[in-house]
Amino acid sequence: MAQAVEEWYKQMPIITRSYLTAVIVTTVGCSLDIISPYKLYLNPMLVVKQYEFWRLVTNFLYFRKMDLDFMFHMFFLARYCKLLEENSFRGRTADFFYMLLFGATVLTGIVLVGGMIPYLSESFAKIIFLSNSLTFMMVYVWSKQNPFIHMSFLGLFTFTAAYLPWVLLGFSVLVGASAWVDLLGMIAGHAYYFLEEVYPRMTGRRPLKTPSVIKALFADEPVVMARPADVRFAPPPAMDVAQD
């Protein structure tokens, strides 16, 4: 069993493995009182006045207490982050990292701006960890890129992947989690999908092109399938074409 888990872990792509490891270490550390959540949460005043810039990153690494909701989000993180990195972003690690960076920036910006809007500031002030939102963003992007895949929710009913974010949003409400957190992830995911997939098809311009600085951090090399020199292929058989 342990060997199977180790093999599963080693087969994860680099970004998924790194993020999942950081999340588990941080959350377990907080549960054991080794790390204080008060040193991790997003606090704009402390970031600006006390220069605690690490909060812009650490608030994406803590998933609150280790309960059923934590287990679900770990499953979503391991599954959909891995699916995106291995399929949609295969051979494009830098682009995948840039997607996460874009999502984290959008989420942080929404919370900061929302905290200054009357009647909404109180709700946004309660959002101090954005790890759930970033995970939900990845689920949303995957569902938009694979809308016709058939899925089942706990064996109760089936649906296509296009409705997955809404199914999970309803489940979050049922278990008493904040709908705001999931909605923020959907907003960030839709912003990325529109700017990366829809807008380039409409205008021919790609505003989310990965900066060369980020590309330099990852050595992505295309996989080339070499044809053996000794192998000869027979010509394809002629097809009979019926003529009227």
Side-chain angles (χ1 to χ4, degrees):
M1 179 65 181
Q3 186 176 0
V5 173
E6 181 182 359
E7 189 67 24
W8 169 79
Y9 177 78
K10 289 181 178 179
Q11 289 179 354
M12 282 187 174
I14 181 64
I15 299 296
T16 301
R17 184 169 67 247
S18 300
Y19 185 41
L20 182 65
T21 302
V23 164
I24 293 178
V25 169
T26 303
T27 303
V28 172
C30 290
S31 299
L32 298 177
D33 293 329
I34 300 175
I35 305 173
S36 173
Y38 295 103
K39 293 292 186 180
L40 307 177
Y41 76 96
L42 180 62
N43 187 319
M45 299 302 294
L46 293 178
V47 171
V48 175
K49 294 186 176 181
Q50 301 296 327
Y51 307 111
E52 297 183 1
F53 299 113
W54 66 82
R55 294 179 183 271
L56 297 174
V57 177
T58 55
N59 80 92
F60 291 100
L61 303 179
Y62 181 50
F63 278 80
R64 304 291 181 109
K65 57 184 179 180
M66 299 180 65
D67 53 6
L68 180 62
D69 185 61
F70 171 79
M71 298 304 297
F72 267 103
H73 278 88
M74 287 300 96
F75 171 77
F76 297 145
L77 173 59
R79 176 175 173 79
Y80 295 105
C81 187
K82 182 173 181 286
L83 285 174
L84 281 174
E85 190 171 359
E86 286 186 340
N87 298 313
S88 301
F89 291 90
R90 186 177 183 85
R92 297 190 297 129
T93 306
D95 293 341
F96 184 63
F97 178 79
Y98 189 55
M99 184 201 77
L100 296 180
L101 181 62
F102 171 82
T105 303
V106 169
L107 291 170
T108 303
I110 291 176
V111 171
L112 295 181
V113 173
M116 297 184 291
I117 300 177
Y119 306 107
L120 292 179
S121 58
E122 185 175 349
S123 297
F124 280 100
K126 298 177 182 178
I127 303 176
I128 56 178
F129 292 102
L130 292 168
S131 47
N132 288 0
S133 299
L134 187 62
T135 301
F136 212 85
M137 173 199 169
M138 288 185 275
V139 173
Y140 184 90
V141 172
W142 180 86
S143 71
K144 296 295 287 185
Q145 295 180 344
N146 304 273
F148 303 113
I149 294 180
H150 289 273
M151 311 187 73
S152 174
F153 183 73
L154 302 178
L156 300 177
F157 59 91
T158 59
F159 56 94
T160 57
Y163 298 100
L164 178 61
W166 300 102
V167 172
L168 297 181
L169 177 63
F171 178 77
S172 296
V173 174
L174 287 177
V175 298
S178 173
W180 271 108
V181 173
D182 292 346
L183 285 173
L184 289 181
M186 294 174 69
I187 293 172
H190 190 74
Y192 176 82
Y193 178 77
F194 177 81
L195 292 175
E196 179 66 14
E197 303 287 345
V198 180
Y199 185 78
R201 290 198 298 264
M202 294 170 53
T203 64
R205 295 189 295 270
R206 186 185 172 202
L208 291 184
K209 185 177 180 180
T210 305
S212 56
V213 175
I214 295 180
K215 282 186 174 294
L217 298 176
F218 303 94
D220 287 335
E221 296 182 2
V223 178
V224 179
M225 299 298 294
R227 173 178 162 179
D230 298 337
V231 178
R232 296 183 179 181
F233 295 92
M239 297 182 61
D240 293 330
V241 180
Q243 298 184 3
D244 297 333

